[in-house]
């Protein structure tokens, strides 16, 4: 599992001047540095050190594409100047002797810290320069200690909620980077995952109410006793996403999370339920069934579909769907709560209608007569990339008139003890204008993340019987 780290970027006088000009012009800077490995889905803190041996700025970094032979591009943004006069030597002297040699080498010559050196340097710098706490306090031992004291049940619920929020952000075309800034600032158990984000809002916030007031199901969400809200906006694209996490039970007692995503432009709902696969020595991951809980949930889904089928589509161009069935099951390894990562959990999205056929196929029979789903026998599925591409353009999901009855499904979820991640992408196009939604062709094969993930790789799988 990739973990957050820090890169020390040393700038000579000439490059420091270029750095200052870049900040004034765009707030962004890039530098070619010796090749290093670090996942782009995990935070990378940057300490900028000037020619006089002083840490002048702290920033967010991201490893980019190769900048040359044995060189990586280091992208630097969200740059903040340090008010405290903090020298490299003061940092070297302040860390414990066991890590001093590594810290001295990196802060004098530049480069990526080791994990242990990162822990020591972060704790020390927050103490020496308190203004850095806003940016890096979430990496300190104190803050991480609060997270470690949460129960396994609470951490599992947070992981499921985060996965649902991350999926909704992808569907709305919003950068998931804000998820990496999650932090637990108090010892109390949070009400929901949204409580640890700076984007968190009150459910009654004016912007939240404006985005949701005309959305089917909002009146029900308003009545749910426990709810947190957040508003995400992509500065580059202008895309917005409003999220409400609603439940009637404390975090530790919730039995799962369902994603309900609404595309306001096309008046379309898609609903995702997550199913945990267990590790298997031969198959990697498998899902064993029949499972009582899943059977009950599918029965509820089918009853709701019967209600949807009573409502005919209008025949408008925006009402066209390849499939009006809004239900998808995502089978994936048990979701771990990793607050430092913005990545989606790898898994298989399976439409309910396909699952009903697949679950009865003899190819899923196990050696002892039970049934199990695995990558080797599913035949076909949507991965994260393919699912996002399909849902973004509302090619699947409820039609306009069907969306009006979504409240019935929300009530059914809450009564089972599950939480609802209710995510709405508002329609911000001006009245009278219809923007074309273009989804670029996507081979959809977002496989296992490799260490060298700076380049865009295309992976082709050929399966033979």
């Amino acid at each position: 599992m990739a973990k957050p780290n820090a890169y020390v970027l040393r700038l000579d006088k000439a490059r420091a001047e270029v750095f200052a000009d870049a900040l004034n012009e765009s707030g962004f800077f890039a530098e070619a540095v010796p090749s290093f490995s670090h996942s782009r889905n995990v935070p990378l803190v940057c300490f900028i050190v000037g020619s006089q041996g002083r840490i002048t700025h702290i920033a967010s970094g991201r490893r980019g594409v190769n900048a040359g032979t044995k060189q990586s591009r280091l992208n630097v943004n969200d740059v903040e100047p340090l008010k405290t006069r903090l020298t490299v030597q003061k940092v070297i002297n302040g860390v414990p002797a066991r890590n001093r040699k590594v810290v001295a080498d990196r802060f004098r010559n530049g480069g990526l810290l080791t994990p242990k050196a990162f822990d020591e340097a972060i704790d020390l710098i927050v103490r020496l320069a308190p203004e850095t706490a806003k940016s890096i306090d979430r990496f300190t031992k104190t803050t991480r200690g609060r997270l470690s004291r949460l129960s396994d049940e609470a951490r599992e619920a947070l992981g499921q909620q985060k996965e649902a929020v991350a999926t909704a952000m992808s569907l709305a075309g919003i950068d998931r980077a804000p998820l990496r800034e999650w932090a637990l600032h108090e010892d109390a158990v949070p009400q929901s995952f949204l409580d640890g984000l700076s984007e968190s809002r009150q459910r009654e916030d004016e912007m939240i109410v404006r985005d949701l007031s005309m959305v089917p199901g909002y009146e029900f969400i308003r009545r749910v006793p426990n709810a947190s809200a957040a508003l995400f906006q992509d500065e580059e694209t202008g895309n917005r996403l409003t999220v409400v996490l609603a439940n009637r039970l404390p975090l530790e007692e919730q039995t799962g999370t369902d994603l309900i995503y609404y595309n306001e432009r096309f008046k379309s709902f898609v609903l995702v339920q997550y199913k945990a696969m267990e590790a298997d020595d031969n198959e990697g991951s498998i899902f064993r069934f029949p499972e009582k809980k899943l059977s009950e949930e599918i029965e509820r889904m089918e009853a709701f579909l019967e209600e949807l089928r009573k409502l005919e589509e209008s025949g408008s161009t925006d009402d066209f769907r390849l499939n009006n069935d809004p239900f998808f099951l995502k089978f994936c390894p048990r979701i771990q709560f990793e607050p430092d990562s913005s990545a989606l959990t790898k898994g298989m999205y399976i439409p309910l209608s396909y699952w009903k056929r697949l679950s009865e196929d003899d190819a899923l029979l196990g050696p002892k007569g039970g049934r199990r789903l695995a990558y080797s026998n599913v035949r076909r599925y949507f991965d994260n990339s393919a699912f996002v591409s399909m849902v973004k353009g509302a090619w699947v999901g409820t039609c306009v008139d069907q969306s009006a009855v979504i409240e019935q499904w929300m009530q059914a979820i809450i009564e089972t003890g599950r939480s609802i991640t209710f995510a709405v992408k508002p329609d911000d196009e001006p009245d009278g204008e219809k923007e074309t939604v273009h989804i670029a062709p996507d081979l959809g094969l977002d496989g296992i993340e490799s260490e060298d993930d700076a380049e865009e790789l295309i992976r082709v799988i050929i399966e033979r019987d």
Side-chain angles (χ1 to χ4, degrees):
M1 180 180 69
K3 295 183 178 181
N5 207 334
Y7 194 98
V8 180
L9 179 60
R10 302 262 334 190
L11 299 176
D12 59 26
K13 187 174 181 179
R15 291 303 293 170
E17 291 177 357
V18 175
F19 171 72
D21 290 341
L23 292 189
N24 291 332
E25 292 176 4
S26 63
F28 174 84
F29 179 73
E31 184 80 344
V33 299
S35 183
F36 71 99
S37 294
H38 185 78
S39 171
R40 295 193 295 176
N41 287 317
V42 176
L44 181 65
V45 179
C46 273
F47 297 116
I48 313 298
V49 178
S51 58
Q52 296 182 349
R54 185 165 66 91
I55 302 175
T56 59
H57 298 78
I58 187 171
S60 295
R62 195 178 191 195
R63 181 172 61 89
V65 297
N66 292 337
T69 303
K70 294 187 178 180
Q71 284 191 314
S72 295
R73 175 186 169 109
L74 177 63
N75 297 316
V76 179
N77 55 24
D78 298 331
V79 182
E80 298 178 8
L82 257 64
K83 298 178 182 177
T84 302
R85 183 178 178 82
L86 184 58
T87 63
V88 164
Q89 193 59 50
K90 195 167 186 178
V91 173
I92 295 171
N93 294 341
V95 297
R98 60 181 178 272
N99 291 312
R100 190 169 296 155
K101 183 177 180 181
V102 174
V103 171
D105 176 70
R106 298 300 189 273
F107 274 88
R108 286 172 177 159
N109 302 309
L112 191 71
L113 294 175
T114 64
K116 290 182 179 180
F118 170 74
D119 290 340
E120 300 291 358
I122 288 290
D123 280 13
L124 176 64
I125 290 172
V126 169
R127 292 199 304 271
L128 297 178
E131 70 269 25
T132 64
K134 181 180 178 181
S135 301
I136 61 175
D137 180 70
R138 65 186 188 277
F139 304 124
T140 62
K141 295 175 184 176
T142 300
T143 301
R144 291 183 174 278
R146 296 191 189 104
L147 180 61
S148 67
R149 289 191 289 273
L150 292 177
S151 66
D152 291 342
E153 293 79 9
R155 289 174 63 90
E156 183 174 357
L158 287 172
Q160 293 173 352
Q161 292 178 2
K162 179 191 171 189
E163 177 72 16
V165 173
T167 302
M169 293 177 76
S170 296
L171 296 176
I174 291 178
D175 188 353
R176 300 192 303 270
L179 300 183
R180 297 197 294 266
E181 299 176 7
W182 192 92
L184 187 61
H185 295 295
E186 299 177 357
D187 288 328
V189 177
Q191 181 173 299
S192 79
F193 169 73
L194 297 180
D195 293 348
L197 298 175
S198 60
E199 290 80 6
S200 181
R201 306 281 187 97
Q202 294 295 319
R203 180 171 37 175
E204 297 78 15
D205 181 272
E206 181 180 350
M207 288 286 288
I208 300 293
V209 173
R210 190 185 75 179
D211 283 351
L212 300 184
S213 59
M214 301 301 291
V215 175
Y218 174 61
E219 287 303 318
F220 175 76
I221 287 290
R222 289 182 63 183
R223 299 192 299 271
V224 177
N226 302 318
S228 304
L231 181 64
F232 302 94
Q233 183 158 2
D234 193 301
E235 294 181 0
E236 292 186 7
T237 64
N239 289 336
R240 286 190 298 130
L241 179 72
T242 303
V243 179
V244 176
L245 267 165
N247 54 79
R248 64 178 178 84
L249 295 173
L251 193 67
E252 304 96 322
E253 298 178 24
Q254 294 167 27
T255 58
T257 298
D258 284 22
L259 170 63
I260 301 178
Y261 177 79
Y262 184 62
N263 183 327
E264 188 177 27
R265 178 175 301 172
F266 293 98
K267 307 294 188 291
S268 178
F269 277 105
V270 168
L271 305 102
V272 180
Q273 193 165 106
Y274 299 90
K275 293 297 169 188
M277 304 175 76
E278 59 186 86
D280 182 82
D281 291 338
N282 297 321
E283 298 285 357
S285 297
I286 61 173
F287 178 80
R288 300 180 189 275
F289 67 99
E291 183 196 64
K292 181 181 178 182
K293 186 182 295 185
L294 176 59
S295 299
E296 292 173 349
E297 289 162 353
I298 288 179
E299 187 176 331
R300 280 191 292 269
M301 292 178 189
E302 291 178 334
F304 184 65
L305 281 175
E306 285 299 317
E307 294 298 316
L308 291 181
R309 293 188 184 108
K310 297 175 184 178
L311 303 170
E312 297 182 358
E313 61 181 73
S314 66
S316 69
T317 53
D318 282 357
D319 227 9
F320 176 81
R321 306 285 184 267
L322 295 174
N323 191 338
N324 285 350
D325 181 350
F327 290 107
F328 287 82
L329 301 172
K330 182 176 182 179
F331 295 91
C332 56
R334 190 167 298 278
I335 298 171
Q336 304 295 321
F337 183 49
E338 300 176 10
D340 300 318
S341 173
S342 61
L344 291 172
T345 301
K346 304 295 187 291
M348 302 182 284
Y349 289 91
I350 297 179
L352 175 62
S353 51
Y354 181 53
W355 170 253
K356 289 161 65 176
R357 293 191 186 188
L358 185 66
S359 61
E360 297 177 357
D361 194 306
D362 288 345
L364 274 66
L365 281 172
K368 296 182 180 180
R371 292 181 178 271
R372 57 184 185 175
L373 174 74
Y375 281 88
S376 63
N377 61 20
V378 68
R379 302 288 291 175
R380 48 186 170 161
Y381 62 91
F382 296 105
D383 63 8
N384 288 322
S385 298
F387 179 73
V388 167
S389 295
M390 180 175 56
V391 175
K392 266 186 178 181
W395 291 109
V396 295
T398 59
C399 64
V400 174
D401 290 337
Q402 290 175 335
S403 297
V405 298
I406 196 67
E407 186 171 312
Q408 298 176 26
W409 181 249
M410 292 180 172
Q411 187 170 352
I413 296 173
I414 290 294
E415 288 176 354
T416 65
R418 300 174 69 85
S419 67
I420 293 174
T421 302
F422 186 52
V424 175
K425 184 180 186 299
D427 183 8
D428 293 326
E429 65 182 15
D431 293 340
E433 294 187 14
K434 287 188 176 293
E435 180 182 348
T436 297
V437 178
H438 172 67
I439 306 300
D442 191 337
L443 296 182
L445 305 171
D446 57 343
I448 297 173
E449 179 182 313
S450 64
E451 278 298 317
D452 186 18
D453 61 353
E455 307 288 351
E456 293 293 332
L457 302 179
I458 295 177
R459 179 169 60 89
V460 177
I461 300 176
I462 300 175
E463 294 184 354
R464 297 183 174 88
D465 292 332

